[in-house]
Amino acid sequence: MTEQIVILDFGAQYTQVIARRVRECNVYSTILRYDTPAKDIAALKPSGIILSGGPSSVYAKDAPLPDKNIFKLGVPVLGLCYGEQLLAHLLGGKVEKGLRREYGKSTLKVTDARCALFARLPRQLQVWNSHGDKLTKLPRGFKTVAVTENSPFAAIEHRAKRFFGLQFHPEVVHTPRGREIFANFVHGICGCGQDWTMRNYVEQAVEEIRAQVGKAEVILGLSGGVDSSVAAALLHKAIGDQLTCIFVNNGVLRAREAEVVREVFERNFKVKLQYENAAKLFLRRLKGVTDPERKRKIIGRTFIEVFQAATKRAGKAKFLAQGTLYPDVIESVPIGDNPAALIKSHHNVGGLPRKMKFALVEPLKCLFKDEVRQLGLELGLSREIVWRQPFPGPGLAVRILGEVTPARCKILRNADAIVVEEMKSAGLYYKIWQSFAVLLPVRSVGVMGDERTYDYTIAIRAVESQDGMTADWVKLPYEILEKLASRIINEVKGVNRCVFDITSKPPGTIEWE
Ligand code: XMP
């Protein structure tokens, strides 16, 4: 069984970040609901437990509390923020309402350098706080091992039991040495090795896939995006020709999209690829439609229809593979306003109806996005595929404002190709979240040579984001903007004006529709 750290989620905004920090130490981590019974946790044989932060107060009537028997499992426990207060509250200490919220940076002074959490770290560290309540009395057996100006209990320890509490957040980037604190916990205290790597995971996943599917056939909807591409490469390694990938051309793909997918998977990887060119059908149904939500619905429904028909032609598959990731399967804790719990319904258009009679294979479902990328590289996929920017399922249709017509698709495709090319050659494409062109249904007057033109406008959008939930517009250098505008206006027939979008999210969205 893989060595692992269990993280109990008390509704913190940062629970997934904690899980990623642990995995960055090459130790597997699993997020479980705060009230998971201790016997279920014990069954996983964790090497240690981390209690996440959370928005509640331990003394509130409906405060989320863990099964107290977790403290009897004999494994090290690290409580972070609310997790530290839980340790104190449940083991006999005292937590009170702080007079004011402690928020932001402070300097941690390690008062007991023998505490294994701070091994090989300086006596003073910058840390980041965000809490309202504070610990006022330690439970028996605990002692303070670090303080801040505002907190005499910034870090506490029960050395014999190997229980630790931190008032601050070691998982956030504003605690610069936080990674080392996690490394000290998982390696030094819990005794974990460094076995969790994508190189090792390939072997494990291949075995698991083979064990699950046996000799049966598997189909996979390949979109060309990171997740489905990595899933395809992994499944192909595991089961070769038992896998058929279905790629649907929905008529609103970017330039050369279909060719690239065929080149990479059919020709290089020798994957069995069924190419469904349904561009005409999609575009016929989109004719005259201008409402963004209707466009999404039409594309979503048509995709399912085309995909279902394609699966029938693909033969007798028993399994449907999907590139589901770990954040999609973590059971979210509905406490306070946990942004991780917000799901945007319109982003699920690629989802297939549950009534399709397939068993699911989801070989990426315990991985975070950064791990999926790593795995992709491990499997031999190129950086171009593994680090591609996100692209919406409804494709260019939500970047063509107003009606989607073949002529407009061509204009946007050409403009978008220039944006991608220039961003890549400026070394910016892989550094930012998304950069693309949008076709506005606005025509304006221009002059080209001696001629008067009356053509469309292209908006250039470039945003920085962590997860697409919020975004900042990127301050692209003037030289790049100039090059983009001049190339688009000169090279793309039908465009005579370029504008740059300087809207952040919120209040704007990333896509224009
Ligand atoms: P918005 O426009 O909502 O976009 O700020 C946030 C992120 O989601 C992508 N997006 C979509 N992805 N189907 C998708 O698969 C959609 O309908 C869709 N709409 C937006 C968008 O590209 C951005 O990364």
Side-chain angles (χ1 to χ4, degrees):
M1 194 181 254
T2 320
E3 268 182 338
Q4 66 180 312
I5 299 289
V6 161
I7 297 158
L8 292 183
D9 181 18
F10 293 88
Q13 194 179 333
Y14 297 115
T15 306
Q16 292 191 22
V17 184
I18 300 171
R20 283 168 51 190
R21 291 287 170 270
V22 171
R23 292 189 188 191
E24 282 160 13
C25 299
N26 300 115
V27 177
Y28 187 60
S29 62
T30 310
I31 297 175
L32 297 176
R33 265 181 69 100
Y34 65 91
D35 52 0
T36 305
K39 64 172 183 354
D40 296 355
I41 296 174
L44 297 174
K45 299 200 169 40
S47 305
I49 298 175
I50 297 179
L51 311 177
S52 85
S56 309
S57 288
V58 288
Y59 47 75
K61 203 164 77 263
D62 52 359
L65 301 175
D67 179 341
K68 271 181 92 168
N69 288 325
I70 61 168
F71 299 115
K72 296 185 186 147
L73 296 179
V75 298
V77 177
L78 171 63
L80 303 178
C81 199
Y82 176 80
E84 183 197 45
Q85 290 157 13
L86 277 174
L87 277 175
H89 181 69
L90 296 173
L91 299 176
K94 208 165 177 182
V95 177
E96 288 175 19
K97 201 168 183 57
L99 285 180
R100 60 193 171 89
R101 244 189 117 66
E102 192 182 1
Y103 185 86
K105 279 183 200 161
S106 63
T107 302
L108 183 84
K109 291 199 173 78
V110 178
T111 52
D112 182 348
R114 284 178 312 145
C115 173
L117 271 188
F118 301 110
R120 291 171 297 280
L121 282 166
R123 297 293 284 260
Q124 294 211 2
L125 295 169
Q126 182 190 313
V127 298
W128 195 78
N129 293 286
S130 167
H131 58 95
D133 298 335
K134 59 179 193 185
L135 226 165
T136 52
K137 185 174 153 261
L138 286 179
R140 267 211 1 235
F142 277 82
K143 66 177 280 212
T144 289
V145 289
V147 298
T148 60
E149 201 181 323
N150 288 319
S151 171
F153 304 114
I156 61 171
E157 173 184 16
H158 189 307
R159 197 153 294 169
K161 291 202 161 136
R162 300 182 297 165
F163 293 165
F164 303 83
L166 300 177
Q167 183 75 91
F168 58 92
H169 290 274
E171 69 275 21
V172 301
V173 289
H174 315 293
T175 301
R177 310 288 297 256
R179 282 162 199 255
E180 290 152 85
I181 296 178
F182 280 108
N184 282 336
F185 181 67
V186 300
H187 303 306
I189 295 163
C190 300
C192 296
Q194 303 201 24
D195 295 341
W196 178 251
T197 61
M198 287 304 112
R199 180 157 298 167
N200 293 344
Y201 182 68
V202 172
E203 298 313 317
Q204 180 190 331
V206 161
E207 272 175 38
E208 283 170 7
I209 293 166
R210 287 183 185 152
Q212 185 187 359
V213 308
K215 298 240 170 302
E217 300 272 315
V218 179
I219 49 172
L220 168 78
L222 182 61
S223 71
V226 180
D227 307 341
S228 67
S229 297
V230 175
L234 180 59
L235 282 153
H236 184 253
K237 187 176 174 76
I239 56 171
D241 271 356
Q242 281 166 258
L243 172 74
T244 302
C245 292
I246 297 173
F247 177 81
V248 176
N249 183 342
N250 62 7
V252 279
L253 301 174
R254 281 164 295 188
R256 286 195 23 87
E257 188 90 52
E259 286 92 324
V260 169
V261 167
R262 297 181 83 174
E263 207 169 282
V264 170
F265 289 95
E266 216 167 24
R267 284 195 276 286
N268 295 358
F269 273 85
K270 314 271 182 248
V271 165
K272 256 202 306 189
L273 185 77
Q274 190 171 319
Y275 175 59
E276 297 287 330
N277 190 351
K280 286 208 173 96
L281 174 68
F282 279 87
L283 290 174
R284 198 165 61 234
R285 293 192 180 166
L286 286 168
K287 202 166 177 216
V289 179
T290 54
D291 176 66
E293 286 310 301
R294 266 199 69 209
K295 288 182 188 171
R296 280 196 170 78
K297 286 219 172 74
I298 290 169
I299 293 171
R301 247 186 282 126
T302 309
F303 177 83
I304 289 169
E305 210 180 291
V306 171
F307 191 81
Q308 269 179 321
T311 60
K312 291 204 181 102
R313 249 172 292 132
K316 281 204 180 45
K318 184 172 161 206
F319 290 94
L320 175 70
Q322 288 187 336
T324 318
L325 304 194
Y326 193 43
D328 305 324
V329 298
I330 298 169
E331 202 185 340
S332 63
V333 178
I335 309 168
D337 54 344
N338 175 4
L342 294 177
I343 294 172
K344 300 173 128 198
S345 61
H346 72 256
H347 292 177
N348 297 331
V349 288
L352 295 164
R354 288 274 160 204
K355 68 174 193 304
M356 282 180 82
K357 288 196 176 45
F358 291 109
L360 289 181
V361 189
E362 299 178 304
L364 312 179
K365 76 162 186 268
C366 65
L367 304 184
F368 287 108
K369 192 85 178 189
D370 36 350
E371 294 172 322
V372 170
R373 293 205 164 100
Q374 202 54 49
L375 177 62
L377 294 174
E378 210 51 70
L379 290 163
L381 286 170
S382 67
R383 178 175 124 114
E384 277 69 27
I385 298 247
V386 162
W387 283 99
R388 351 184 70 178
Q389 294 179 355
F391 183 65
L396 299 180
V398 292
R399 295 179 180 172
I400 294 173
L401 276 65
E403 189 186 355
V404 179
T405 63
R408 287 179 171 191
C409 286
K410 187 170 169 202
I411 294 177
L412 183 57
R413 222 168 254 142
N414 291 340
D416 190 67
I418 292 174
V419 176
V420 173
E421 202 179 303
E422 289 300 327
M423 291 296 287
K424 280 187 178 165
S425 73
L428 287 172
Y429 179 87
Y430 297 109
K431 289 203 176 121
I432 67 172
W433 178 257
Q434 273 171 307
S435 47
F436 54 88
V438 180
L439 178 63
L440 308 188
V442 178
R443 289 188 185 205
S444 66
V445 174
V447 278
M448 275 210 200
D450 293 334
E451 263 179 67
R452 180 181 177 280
T453 57
Y454 187 56
D455 279 335
Y456 287 119
T457 306
I458 284 285
I460 296 164
R461 181 99 170 113
V463 293
E464 192 61 84
S465 173
Q466 293 297 318
D467 51 11
M469 296 293 204
T470 60
D472 289 321
W473 64 277
V474 177
K475 280 96 200 152
L476 289 182
Y478 281 162
E479 300 75 53
I480 294 175
L481 287 173
E482 186 176 27
K483 187 140 196 214
L484 283 172
S486 95
R487 277 199 63 193
I488 290 171
I489 294 165
N490 282 313
E491 295 173 32
V492 182
K493 213 163 165 293
V495 178
N496 69 351
R497 196 173 292 273
C498 258
V499 295
F500 182 49
D501 183 356
I502 55 168
T503 317
S504 285
K505 171 182 179 175
T509 49
I510 295 176
E511 303 294 343
W512 275 46
E513 288 201 331

